[in-house]
Amino acid sequence: MLSVFYNLSLRLYQAALQAAAPFHTKARLAVAGRRDWNRQISAKLSGNQTPVAWFHAASLGEFEQGRPVMEAFRRQYPGYKILLTFFSPSGFEVRKTYGGADYIFYLPIDTPANARAFLDLVRPKIAFFIKYEFWYNYLRELKRRSVPVVSFSTIFRPEQAFFKPYGGFYRNFLHFFDHLLVQNRQSVELLAGIGITQVTLAGDTRFDRVRQVVEAKKEIPVAAAFKQGNPLLVVGSAWQADMDLLIPFLNGFGKPLKVIIAPHEIHGEEIERWRGQLKGGSVRFSETQSDAFRQTALEEADYLIIDNVGMLSSLYQYGEFAYIGGAFGKGLHNILEAATFGMPLFFGPNYTKFQEAVDLVRQGAAFTVTNEAGFRAVFGKLYDSEPARREAARITADYVRANTGATEKVMEVAGRLLPPAEKAG
């Protein structure tokens, strides 16, 4: 009976998405991207006789978790095509040209008919679902077809429906997986408590991804020239709620400090409003690219505001401190890109769903703040004590190094599930 309600809810979601499309950009992209999906997929895969590995990510963050596994799979199984699907436009629209996958599509809405038709077209030999993705009809149909299914970088919490007395229908989802590779011990114990034992404690593949980011980091001469040897705070993925705390703090700090601010989303009016509220000189990165720009303006500025996308992970290399945005809203953004370069981390209160943030707060290298006075106190203590700052920096860098290796564990599981004849020679 619950499966009927599940399928009905997805049809209602699809109708709501179509109704919202004329008024909402993401809804419009999601509807347009799934239009005639059968034809799109059939045209791309027509005549393909090569085995397919299917990777599914909800959005951009999950894609980054899956990327090191996709790249490892490509190296170990070069005879496979990789098909990547996204649920959200914020993943698909950014990574639709990703060269590590042979085919990239939106995932059709999880109805029984769509699941059957999609799998008839794709015919995957193995499927990987990244972190939180649990789609009943796809999982049930994959199981019916005896296609191995792996979930990795997954994390479970007691409040999830799987672990509630009424959660029998949702627990069925988990029995469809051949193996789940989870991030922490609590997840292993929760799953064991409901009889799910095909589980490996593997950690989070994002650690492997940030290791790749460090190895491939780009030098950014503008950032180096801006820093001028001063202490530097990098503000990553800033929202308005983060700036409501940071602007009064920065205006009253009164000590040498350079600040790079990377907004979560690039909105010119918002950036100009922030510039108007900040005391001291500021420069937008795009201004530095003009032939008429004076280098002295960059050197004398207190704030460098990044008005492009894709640079943040490399900017952290110049910082002594990092503030990561998002934790005054729905949730904290990626802290590992900053942690891997070694520095104390600061963020708002909504961080407890992120294991790495919980761990680093517990270890005394990351600090949660709720107001400007609290941030001033904890930041000032680390600013004034170089030994304390260096110790926090050491802890964050060591934490990332100690937690790499999840990708290798995922590939070990894939090796057990795939027929020997299909492995690379």
Side-chain angles (χ1 to χ4, degrees):
M1 179 61 71
L2 282 176
S3 63
V4 174
F5 287 109
Y6 175 86
N7 291 327
L8 177 61
S9 68
L10 284 172
R11 292 185 183 281
L12 292 173
Y13 169 80
Q14 190 170 22
L17 200 65
Q18 291 171 337
F23 314 102
H24 192 280
T25 301
K26 286 187 176 180
R28 185 162 57 252
L29 289 169
V31 169
R34 290 181 170 90
R35 189 173 294 126
D36 294 330
W37 64 262
N38 313 61
R39 181 187 55 78
Q40 291 182 47
I41 295 175
S42 180
K44 291 285 182 68
L45 273 74
S46 177
N48 176 56
Q49 299 300 314
T50 305
V52 171
W54 172 26
F55 287 80
H56 176 64
S59 190
L60 187 59
E62 290 77 14
F63 164 82
E64 292 297 335
Q65 286 179 296
R67 184 170 178 168
V69 179
M70 282 185 276
E71 293 173 357
F73 192 95
R74 173 78 81 193
R75 292 190 297 272
Q76 192 165 333
Y77 298 93
Y80 273 70
K81 298 286 189 181
I82 291 178
L83 183 142
L84 170 63
T85 56
F86 288 97
F87 184 80
S88 168
S90 58
F92 178 86
E93 297 300 329
V94 174
R95 294 302 184 192
K96 60 188 176 183
T97 59
Y98 168 58
D102 301 284
Y103 312 107
I104 304 176
F105 303 106
Y106 278 97
L107 181 72
I109 299 298
D110 182 34
T111 66
N114 283 354
R116 289 191 297 269
F118 177 85
L119 293 174
D120 284 344
L121 291 169
V122 173
R123 295 177 292 115
K125 294 290 187 180
I126 190 168
F128 297 90
F129 285 68
I130 305 167
K131 196 173 182 179
Y132 288 135
E133 289 298 89
F134 306 103
W135 295 110
Y136 178 73
N137 292 303
Y138 283 108
L139 291 170
R140 184 180 64 169
E141 191 64 24
L142 286 163
K143 190 72 171 179
R144 190 184 70 79
R145 298 176 187 225
S146 299
V147 177
V149 186
V150 177
S151 176
F152 66 87
S153 291
T154 318
I155 191 165
F156 293 94
R157 299 181 183 85
E159 62 268 22
Q160 290 173 307
F162 307 113
F163 311 108
K164 300 297 185 181
Y166 57 80
F169 171 69
Y170 299 99
R171 286 191 283 276
N172 289 335
F173 290 41
L174 303 180
H175 287 284
F176 293 140
F177 287 97
D178 291 88
H179 210 91
L180 297 104
L181 296 102
V182 299
Q183 290 191 30
N184 60 15
R185 175 61 59 185
Q186 181 188 49
S187 296
V188 175
E189 294 170 354
L190 286 168
L191 292 170
I194 58 172
I196 305 296
T197 57
Q198 68 279 18
V199 179
T200 296
L201 176 56
D204 189 343
T205 52
R206 282 184 304 154
F207 288 95
D208 301 318
R209 175 61 188 146
V210 296
R211 181 178 61 185
Q212 293 176 338
V213 168
V214 171
E215 292 170 352
K217 71 180 186 297
K218 298 177 181 177
E219 299 296 326
I220 303 176
V222 168
F226 168 73
K227 180 178 172 68
Q228 289 287 298
N230 289 289
L232 174 66
L233 168 65
V234 181
V235 179
S237 298
W239 292 80
Q240 183 61 53
D242 301 297
M243 297 305 294
D244 288 342
L245 177 151
L246 288 167
I247 288 171
F249 163 76
L250 293 170
N251 285 342
F253 187 59
K255 298 178 182 179
L257 182 68
K258 293 275 190 165
V259 185
I260 293 177
I261 301 172
H264 179 65
E265 296 179 343
I266 310 301
H267 300 298
E269 291 183 2
E270 183 176 62
I271 288 173
E272 290 306 311
R273 185 171 66 252
W274 293 350
R275 293 180 73 182
Q277 293 171 346
L278 287 163
K279 296 178 182 177
S282 62
V283 173
R284 293 174 65 151
F285 185 88
S286 59
E287 295 172 353
T288 70
Q289 306 305 293
S290 167
D291 291 338
F293 183 76
R294 294 182 300 104
Q295 185 73 8
T296 55
L298 178 65
E299 296 168 359
E300 294 169 359
D302 301 293
Y303 306 100
L304 173 62
I305 301 180
I306 308 302
D307 52 359
N308 58 46
V309 176
M311 187 179 291
L312 178 58
S313 60
S314 291
L315 286 169
Y316 286 121
Q317 68 184 295
Y318 299 100
E320 278 75 35
F321 310 90
Y323 178 99
I324 313 300
F328 280 96
K330 292 183 178 180
L332 179 64
H333 293 297
N334 189 342
I335 71 170
L336 293 178
E337 290 178 345
T340 192
F341 287 106
M343 64 191 74
L345 310 174
F346 308 90
F347 40 78
N350 298 336
Y351 71 92
T352 56
K353 290 184 178 180
F354 301 86
Q355 186 65 43
E356 65 277 12
V358 172
D359 290 343
L360 287 170
V361 167
R362 187 181 299 124
Q363 294 179 33
F367 306 88
T368 179
V369 294
T370 58
N371 54 50
E372 185 254 337
F375 183 56
R376 186 190 319 117
V378 68
F379 185 90
K381 181 177 179 180
L382 290 165
Y383 182 96
D384 292 335
S385 174
E386 183 62 11
R389 189 201 68 80
R390 286 184 180 275
E391 177 61 10
R394 181 194 65 77
I395 292 170
T396 56
D398 286 352
Y399 178 77
V400 174
R401 282 193 292 269
N403 283 280
T404 56
T407 297
E408 183 178 349
K409 294 176 182 177
V410 178
M411 294 307 299
E412 288 173 1
V413 169
R416 296 198 299 267
L417 293 173
L418 287 171
E422 295 182 354
K423 298 177 184 179

